[in-house]
Amino acid sequence: MSSPEPTGVVAVVAPSGPLPGPVSVVAPVIVTGNTCVVIASEAHPLTSITPGEVMATSDLPGGVVNMLTGSVAEIAPRLASHMDVNGIDLTGVTDPELATSLEIAAADNLKRVRRAPEAPVDWLATPGIDRLTHWLETKTVWHPIGI
């Protein structure tokens, strides 16, 4: 019998731009039962912090979404190499060299990595389930039966 279960703690580098961008990367992480540490966009931090304020005053348990502001180049390498972080979403990383170094750092403990999209993303398009299933692990339990 196989069932999906959450990955655990996921680090998210929020994309800069309009409000649907940060919401579209954080929502799949928390909807699938994970907790997340979000690095707000350097260029437009309010688009990442505003949903965080809404979540802080909602019924979402404390600690499910943790917002950090600052330089992505300074914060992301620490999250990518942290042994208690189980996945990292690089959607907001625009520097290809930084993205590559983050992937290498994440490989130390076999972290799940979602690469930054190569083409611009239309955040208003109908979403698929790819972002949801990326942060789920399939747990298989074997139930032996006698003959």
Side-chain angles (χ1 to χ4, degrees), residues 46-70:
L46 288 179
T47 59
S48 297
I49 294 173
T50 302
E53 290 294 322
V54 171
M55 289 182 245
T57 58
S58 69
D59 289 337
L60 197 64
V64 172
V65 178
N66 303 284
M67 305 295 290
L68 300 174
T69 57

Side-chain angles (χ1 to χ4, degrees), residues 97-111:
E97 291 179 14
L98 178 60
T100 302
S101 69
L102 293 174
E103 288 176 350
I104 292 169
D108 283 342
N109 70 337
L110 303 176
K111 224 178 240 63

Side-chain angles (χ1 to χ4, degrees), residues 6 9 18-19 31 34 39 43-44 55-56 58 65 67 93 102 113 124 143 147:
V9 178
L19 187 60
V31 166
N34 299 294
I39 304 173
H44 305 285
M55 289 182 245
S58 69
V65 178
M67 305 295 290
V93 178
L102 293 174
V113 177
L124 300 176
H143 294 283
I147 298 180

Side-chain angles (χ1 to χ4, degrees), residues 3-147:
S3 63
E5 66 177 25
T7 299
V9 178
V10 178
V12 176
V13 180
S16 61
L19 187 60
V23 171
S24 295
V25 293
V26 171
V29 174
I30 61 174
V31 166
T32 52
N34 299 294
T35 60
C36 65
V37 179
V38 182
I39 304 173
S41 164
E42 289 181 66
H44 305 285
L46 288 179
T47 59
S48 297
I49 294 173
T50 302
E53 290 294 322
V54 171
M55 289 182 245
T57 58
S58 69
D59 289 337
L60 197 64
V64 172
V65 178
N66 303 284
M67 305 295 290
L68 300 174
T69 57
S71 171
V72 173
E74 292 177 8
I75 300 171
R78 289 176 180 23
L79 289 174
S81 62
H82 199 286
M83 291 298 185
D84 289 332
V85 175
N86 304 101
I88 187 165
D89 187 343
L90 303 176
T91 301
V93 178
T94 56
D95 181 17
E97 291 179 14
L98 178 60
T100 302
S101 69
L102 293 174
E103 288 176 350
I104 292 169
D108 283 342
N109 70 337
L110 303 176
K111 224 178 240 63
R112 288 178 181 249
V113 177
R114 182 167 178 93
R115 293 210 55 162
E118 295 182 15
V121 178
D122 180 13
W123 297 112
L124 300 176
T126 304
I129 63 167
D130 180 49
R131 283 197 174 271
L132 290 169
T133 58
H134 193 81
W135 304 117
L136 289 173
E137 296 178 1
T138 303
K139 180 179 180 182
T140 302
V141 180
W142 294 92
H143 294 283
I145 56 171
I147 298 180

